[in-house]
Amino acid sequence: MLFCSKPEKYDMKHITNLFFIISFFFFLFACTDRNPYRLYLERAEKLLDEYPDSAFKYLDIIISPELLNEKDFHTYVLLQVQSKYSSRRDISKDTVIFSLRGCYEDSNLEKAAIIYLYSGVIYELQESYQDALNHYLKAEKLAVNLEPSLKAKIQYFIGSLFSQRII
């Protein structure tokens, strides 16, 4: 007869304590940054260089990127274009990256240079060769004091444009 025992009566002190414990855990978890999309962006960024297809799959999980905050949306757009291009997908219509031009020139020259680089790639794919060259040159100018691999990549695209097209 285990279950036939008389239930204990809870007094107001027990109920109040229980309320404060539940409230504490609610506020503890409500105040933390639990944005799952930021986690997907971070994972995509880490995978971008070696596994661009996997990076693209993480980005594809984000169903409504336009609902992200401004910083995360910019990161999403840039990572998406980079991962698509690196995994040989068509980026010729990904002109939303054009809206990012100028956003990072004062705060993050590397991102600014990458944005201009991929803007140039899109223009080249659209056969707007002069616009492509202008964006490559702007990227090169922004990357003057940055890591050599980024400068080399930009110069590769400039050289490729000149070798394939007469501007």
Side-chain angles (χ1 to χ4, degrees):
M1 300 262 303
L2 255 157
F3 297 108
C4 291
S5 63
K6 203 174 194 181
E8 293 182 30
K9 289 188 177 182
Y10 292 104
D11 60 355
M12 193 60 166
K13 183 179 178 183
H14 285 96
I15 294 172
T16 305
N17 287 341
L18 183 63
F19 173 75
F20 281 117
I21 290 171
I22 292 171
S23 297
F24 172 76
F25 282 108
F26 173 75
F27 287 114
L28 179 69
F29 290 111
C31 294
T32 59
D33 182 18
R34 301 188 48 86
N35 182 352
Y37 295 132
R38 183 164 293 129
L39 180 64
Y40 297 139
L41 292 171
E42 290 170 1
R43 287 184 181 168
E45 196 164 18
K46 288 178 184 174
L47 293 170
L48 183 64
D49 291 331
E50 291 184 49
Y51 306 103
D53 284 332
S54 297
F56 182 76
K57 287 178 184 175
Y58 272 109
L59 295 169
D60 204 31
I61 292 171
I62 301 174
I63 297 170
S64 298
E66 64 277 355
L67 298 178
L68 297 171
N69 66 41
E70 185 178 11
K71 179 184 173 191
D72 288 343
F73 179 72
H74 290 179
T75 302
Y76 171 84
V77 169
L78 184 57
L79 289 173
Q80 184 188 44
V81 170
Q82 287 179 282
S83 64
K84 283 174 74 173
Y85 183 79
S86 296
S87 57
R88 300 186 188 329
R89 289 180 169 89
D90 181 30
I91 63 167
S92 64
K93 293 180 177 44
D94 289 343
T95 57
V96 70
I97 197 169
F98 296 166
S99 66
L100 304 183
R101 294 179 298 202
C103 290
Y104 293 100
E105 290 182 37
D106 296 331
S107 60
N108 190 331
L109 290 178
E110 182 178 1
K111 276 190 178 182
I114 293 169
I115 289 166
Y116 277 97
L117 171 65
Y118 284 97
S119 293
V121 171
I122 291 170
Y123 277 125
E124 186 174 352
L125 292 171
Q126 294 175 347
E127 299 180 1
S128 296
Y129 302 119
Q130 190 60 50
D131 289 330
L133 179 62
N134 291 339
H135 282 78
Y136 292 153
L137 293 174
K138 177 72 174 185
E140 184 180 39
K141 182 180 175 184
L142 291 169
V144 166
N145 296 320
L146 299 178
E147 64 181 68
S149 63
L150 178 58
K151 290 189 289 188
K153 187 174 186 177
I154 294 167
Q155 291 171 350
Y156 167 81
F157 280 97
I158 293 171
S160 176
L161 182 65
F162 277 116
S163 70
Q164 295 175 12
R165 315 278 185 259
I166 298 176
I167 297 181

